[in-house]
Amino acid sequence: MKYDVRIENISAATMTSTESGYGLIDDAAVLVQGDKIGWVGKRSEAPAGTADKTVDGNGGLLTPGLIDCHTHLIYGGSRASEFEELLTGTSYTEILKRGGGILSTVRDTRNASLEELTKAANRRLSSLIKEGVTTVEIKTGYGLDFETERKIIQAMKNLEKQTDITVKKTFLGAHAVPREYEKKSDAYIELVCNKMIPAFAGDVDYADVFCESIAFSLPQTKRVFEAAQQHGLKIRVHAEQLSNMGAASLASEFGALSADHLEYIDEAGVRNMADRGTTAVLLPGAFYFLREKKIPPIDLFRRYSVPMAVSTDSNPGSSPCLSILLMLNMACTLFHLTPEEALQGVTINAVKALGLENECGTLEKGKTADMALFNVKSPAELAYTMGGNLCVKVWKAGKPVFSAAVE
Ligand code: NIG
Ligand code: FE
């Protein structure tokens, strides 16, 4: 058998099942054939045959390409000045209520050209790729009008072409009530359901809603889910971030792939998620940045076997974060995950949140050859280190997309 690439002198965290933890193989070899993984195992057992190219991993750790399953990477402007206000005691909710917050990013995003949006998002995405990210989910939601939401979707497509990274697309038209619909949020929901979802359903993979007292109510959320489902979109939801609205349970009834944030979810909500196989996406960056006090009920997720994913939530207002590795650290220090659970959160469980479990997220034969090589001796170092970049090489579908200057 002939292979294209042979990677050796590595240990491999295959992440093949949550029961096997890291699924670690010492002194491993991985063989790549085209865009797929052809073989993974002990180097001593590797099939005979040649590979066009051999990569010496220098004793590093190979993982599946990392998956950032919840981001808002495409937006105009910055909210650094609001950060200063947050630090001196003005709350996130107060800022949004006076027309700042998400709405200030909406103004900047409407004013930005497609090229500007794409370029800024490409810079952000390249920071993630350098840390091993090979699949990213990106949401709309800073347009809140037909034209700007469409522009954001176009920027996602541009990004995908420019980087070769898989960009899974989420329509989050119901992110905030735009200024021009102030006190007419039902009319805005009508626009989302009757105009935007039918027009954009062919271009995106999922629909999302920010269900919260400062955004949309549970009945409004339900209307969006119904419209999304009618148009073949899978559901995900910003749920129980600042209060318990029951959005995670509602989303689970709609067979949602994920419910995200979840600081305020109760046991019944967790049980409903477990019943419907909905993944919990944990976002420690937003928790940290907003200096929240209540952490998601990690023990309940464990007890009910709800898969836990971890993501940057990269966005200008609650998590201006461009490091998936830092999120591993924060998932452990702030939310009390183990380093093993944290790595599962950006691999095998992140693909569950995106419905991509047959394609990527683990190192095993037949999966897409999305891989990241880190200059670490043990997988726990990925969550242990704060800052700096441990990643030395990244492959997307068998092709190198990043190589560190110093390995
Ligand atoms: O995931 N919760 C709502 N949406 C984003 C924040 C968006 C913003 O503040 O710009 C989040 O935290
Ligand atoms: Fe978010």
Side-chain angles (χ1 to χ4, degrees), residues 162-231:
Q162 290 172 6
T163 63
D164 287 331
I165 293 307
T166 302
V167 176
K168 299 305 281 183
K169 306 172 190 71
T170 300
F171 173 66
L172 176 58
H175 192 194
V177 182
R179 260 274 144 102
E180 57 282 15
Y181 281 88
E182 210 181 331
K183 303 210 165 64
K184 293 183 290 187
S185 59
D186 279 333
Y188 180 64
I189 287 294
E190 232 160 83
L191 176 73
V192 164
C193 295
N194 300 341
K195 291 258 164 37
M196 294 192 191
I197 289 178
F200 302 143
D203 292 318
V204 299
D205 307 287
Y206 327 96
D208 194 340
V209 178
F210 183 21
C211 182
E212 194 59 67
S213 58
I214 50 169
F216 297 97
S217 68
L218 202 62
Q220 290 172 329
T221 302
K222 188 170 181 209
R223 288 184 58 198
V224 177
F225 289 169
E226 282 165 352
Q229 211 160 52
Q230 269 165 23
H231 286 85

Side-chain angles (χ1 to χ4, degrees), residues 107-274:
R107 278 191 292 278
D108 290 337
T109 305
R110 288 178 179 178
N111 287 333
S113 68
L114 172 61
E115 289 66 35
E116 288 165 340
L117 287 181
T118 308
K119 197 168 171 191
N122 194 331
R123 268 197 220 108
R124 295 176 195 124
L125 181 56
S126 79
S127 300
L128 296 174
I129 296 169
K130 284 179 191 150
E131 289 193 345
V133 169
T134 51
T135 298
V136 68
E137 181 263 12
I138 307 180
K139 301 169 197 298
T140 71
Y142 290 122
L144 310 186
D145 63 26
F146 191 90
E147 282 311 319
T148 317
E149 288 291 298
R150 184 160 67 184
K151 184 168 67 176
I152 296 171
I153 295 170
Q154 190 53 49
M156 293 178 189
K157 293 182 184 172
N158 292 353
L159 216 50
E160 198 161 30
K161 274 205 207 95
Q162 290 172 6
T163 63
D164 287 331
I165 293 307
T166 302
V167 176
K168 299 305 281 183
K169 306 172 190 71
T170 300
F171 173 66
L172 176 58
H175 192 194
V177 182
R179 260 274 144 102
E180 57 282 15
Y181 281 88
E182 210 181 331
K183 303 210 165 64
K184 293 183 290 187
S185 59
D186 279 333
Y188 180 64
I189 287 294
E190 232 160 83
L191 176 73
V192 164
C193 295
N194 300 341
K195 291 258 164 37
M196 294 192 191
I197 289 178
F200 302 143
D203 292 318
V204 299
D205 307 287
Y206 327 96
D208 194 340
V209 178
F210 183 21
C211 182
E212 194 59 67
S213 58
I214 50 169
F216 297 97
S217 68
L218 202 62
Q220 290 172 329
T221 302
K222 188 170 181 209
R223 288 184 58 198
V224 177
F225 289 169
E226 282 165 352
Q229 211 160 52
Q230 269 165 23
H231 286 85
L233 295 177
K234 295 265 191 247
I235 306 292
R236 46 200 336 103
V237 65
H238 282 70
E240 344 300 6
Q241 179 185 9
L242 307 169
S243 62
N244 187 3
M245 304 277 292
S249 292
L250 176 71
S252 299
E253 280 169 35
F254 280 81
L257 288 171
S258 76
D260 306 31
H261 287 287
L262 302 175
E263 276 79 354
Y264 285 83
I265 194 171
D266 58 14
E267 184 160 358
V270 175
R271 207 181 306 118
N272 290 332
M273 287 180 66

Side-chain angles (χ1 to χ4, degrees), residues 70 72 139 172 175 238 261 283 313 315 318:
H70 176 142
H72 311 244
K139 301 169 197 298
L172 176 58
H175 192 194
H238 282 70
H261 287 287
L283 305 167
D313 192 12
N315 77 67
S318 70

